[in-house]
Amino acid sequence: MPADAQQTILIVDDEPEVRTLLRTGLEGEGFAVAEAADGREAMALLDQLPVSLVTLDLKLGGEDGLKVARELRAARNTPMIMITGKGDAIDRIVGLELGADDYIPKPFLMREVIARIRAVLRRYASGATAGAETPAGQRYGFDDWIVDLARREVRDPTGAARELTTAEFNLLALFVQKPGRVLSRDELMDLLKGHDWTPMDRSIDALVARLRKKLEPDSEHPMLVKTVRGVGYAFAAAVKKL
């Protein structure tokens, strides 16, 4: 599997049997694998290795996996899949809102884990190359924010760079290019290529929630990304091409 030979998956789980199962399956598919039993070990390995994706147990023993997810997402844009025994839909949605790219409940089928890992990696690879397809100098402004599509850079009204994940930037890029237009969830799924969405996928809603937290003064009462009940979302800001 030469395409995956240089891709390292970090497994963060306090159960040795689960780590062994995942390691065996992933190495059999050509991935390199690193293991961590807790958040401290995980963050240390992320500083040492070129990790391509993290699988994270939501419970993680006595440590809150959600806290680890929050720290990981705040520090870097590494793809993250939650693999956990907690099956409550609320936990899944909270995990997605914190920046997880997918969520797989235990017990799982190894073939499904492999398929989802590859889907998330394709999504990030697609986002990383999107900037190369954008004409140089394509910049947009709204409410004193600046979005540079070619550089994949966002600056807030103070001029400071605002860190967005690949998916968050791709979503914002869609909005600034289609201001005022109501985009249904299905349209957003089609436009945000590289991810295997499902009809009941709540990832779009979680992605919008994450983007709002980074753009809106009050994400609970959004003024930029408006919800159109029963349809989808619309970018309400006045956008101009710079």
Side-chain angles (χ1 to χ4, degrees):
M1 308 285 174
D4 298 328
Q6 301 303 313
Q7 293 180 301
T8 299
I9 310 300
L10 173 59
I11 301 166
V12 186
D13 198 300
D14 64 315
E15 298 182 63
E17 319 82 60
V18 174
R19 296 201 304 271
T20 299
L21 175 61
L22 288 169
R23 172 184 281 278
T24 301
L26 289 166
E27 289 182 338
E29 293 296 317
F31 291 97
V33 176
E35 298 180 24
D38 56 38
R40 180 184 55 79
E41 288 183 12
M43 298 307 288
L45 285 169
L46 283 165
D47 287 335
Q48 299 168 20
L49 300 173
V51 174
S52 301
L53 181 144
V54 176
T55 68
L56 173 66
D57 180 12
L58 186 59
K59 294 181 70 176
L60 210 57
E63 189 173 9
D64 183 5
L66 291 175
K67 177 185 175 186
V68 175
R70 190 178 294 110
E71 291 176 356
L72 192 157
R73 183 52 74 228
R76 60 194 72 226
N77 187 30
T78 305
M80 176 172 53
I81 295 178
M82 289 189 169
I83 301 180
T84 176
K86 297 188 75 173
D88 193 311
I90 297 299
D91 293 321
R92 177 178 185 273
I93 292 168
V94 170
L96 292 169
E97 287 179 343
L98 286 177
D101 296 281
D102 208 342
Y103 185 110
I104 304 173
K106 298 175 184 177
F108 51 78
L109 295 175
M110 198 62 221
R111 287 177 61 186
E112 180 183 8
V113 173
I114 296 295
R116 291 191 181 222
I117 284 175
R118 287 204 166 109
V120 170
L121 289 172
R122 283 197 304 272
R123 171 185 173 186
Y124 272 69
S126 173
T129 59
E133 302 167 2
T134 303
Q138 194 161 333
R139 300 164 71 237
Y140 293 85
F142 65 89
D143 288 9
D144 294 325
W145 288 77
I146 295 176
V147 182
D148 190 321
L149 299 188
R151 296 189 179 199
R152 296 185 67 78
E153 182 179 84
V154 179
R155 293 197 173 274
D156 67 20
T158 71
R162 183 63 58 95
E163 293 296 324
L164 300 184
T165 66
T166 298
E168 290 162 1
F169 184 91
N170 291 346
L171 179 61
L172 178 58
L174 286 177
F175 282 143
V176 297
Q177 292 177 91
K178 302 177 187 296
R181 175 178 162 184
V182 178
L183 297 168
S184 70
R185 289 173 178 81
D186 287 341
E187 284 181 282
L188 290 171
M189 288 178 191
D190 288 339
L191 292 167
L192 292 169
K193 296 176 181 178
H195 179 73
D196 294 342
W197 308 100
T198 63
M200 298 303 290
D201 205 322
R202 291 293 305 276
S203 299
I204 287 289
D205 299 319
L207 182 57
V208 169
R210 281 156 45 197
L211 182 61
R212 280 172 169 164
K213 287 179 181 177
K214 294 185 178 182
L215 297 183
E216 306 271 7
D218 180 0
S219 61
E220 295 299 319
H221 301 90
M223 301 299 294
L224 297 174
V225 183
K226 292 285 193 178
T227 300
V228 181
R229 193 171 299 279
V231 182
Y233 299 96
F235 199 63
V239 178
K240 57 184 178 182
K241 196 167 181 179
L242 304 176

